[in-house]
Amino acid sequence: MVFEGDAVTIETALTNAGRGRQPSWIMPYRTSLLEGKKFSYSKVSFGSEKDITPGYYQLGYLMASNIRKEFGKIFSTACLPTSVKGQ
């Protein structure tokens, strides 16, 4: 999940646009929070036919942006396996 959101986090951080700045893109999460709904990680990750849930890109974006905010920009690079870094 985090890998899916990393690109969205970077594009939002480095541009004036980016999906993270579009209210309609993150709206399913905001709506769920305002309605007091709490979904499990698996339900948010895999979706639901019963409830409207956001996609895994939105989940990854929120996870990746929170990691960058809490631990700094270098954290995600240091935690990636060597094979993912391309070395």
Side-chain angles (χ1 to χ4, degrees):
M1 292 300 149
V2 176
F3 300 119
E4 299 298 341
D6 190 44
V8 180
T9 302
I10 296 298
E11 78 183 28
T12 303
L14 299 179
T15 66
N16 291 328
R19 288 172 276 182
R21 298 188 201 282
Q22 296 175 359
S24 62
W25 189 75
I26 202 72
M27 191 60 67
Y29 267 107
R30 296 182 69 190
T31 304
S32 297
L33 288 172
L34 291 172
E35 291 178 351
K37 293 182 181 178
K38 294 183 180 179
F39 298 124
S40 67
Y41 176 80
S42 61
K43 189 170 192 172
V44 173
S45 299
F46 301 116
S48 170
E49 292 191 19
K50 180 181 175 186
D51 297 306
I52 296 174
T53 57
Y56 53 87
Y57 276 95
Q58 288 88 346
L59 176 61
Y61 165 70
L62 292 173
M63 291 173 66
S65 60
N66 189 52
I67 289 171
R68 286 175 56 99
K69 185 176 89 175
E70 293 291 323
F71 300 104
K73 296 176 184 177
I74 299 178
F75 180 80
S76 58
T77 306
C79 290
L80 291 175
T82 305
S83 60
V84 176
K85 291 181 193 176
Q87 297 178 357

